[in-house]
Amino acid sequence: MILEALASAVLGLILAWAATRRLAHRLPTRPLVFCTGVAGALFGDFVTHTALGPGTALLSLLGAAVISVASLSLLLRPAGRLRRRSATA
């Protein structure tokens, strides 16, 4: 269980690093991205491990990756400037 959690945290760090390399212009500060990636991976591992039970380490890591990516996607900002119209237009 400890190794599974450690592997999930490392997986979250790797996914966060990949996100900062690819989408740095659309993400907030790097420490927030790394913390969100690790927290999402640990939460995903916990949820998957609780739902499936012990002995499913690969599926738990898959669940960790999915939740980590979903958490990181919530940090993305729009690519271009938003056009806002006034209330009278």
Side-chain angles (χ1 to χ4, degrees):
M1 180 74 183
I2 298 293
L3 290 177
E4 188 176 327
L6 184 63
S8 294
V10 170
L11 180 64
L13 277 175
I14 291 170
L15 290 172
W17 175 80
T20 57
R21 295 284 295 172
R22 179 91 170 115
L23 301 167
H25 62 285
R26 293 182 59 194
L27 288 169
T29 61
R30 290 179 68 146
L32 179 64
V33 174
F34 284 117
C35 290
T36 303
V38 171
L42 288 172
F43 181 69
D45 182 45
F46 170 72
V47 169
T48 309
H49 184 81
T50 302
L52 299 178
T56 57
L58 290 178
L59 290 176
S60 292
L61 288 177
L62 179 66
V66 168
I67 300 296
S68 180
V69 169
S71 299
L72 289 170
S73 73
L74 294 174
L75 295 176
L76 287 175
R77 289 182 258 163
R81 286 190 82 96
L82 295 176
R83 295 184 190 167
R84 296 184 185 198
R85 294 186 173 194
S86 64
T88 58

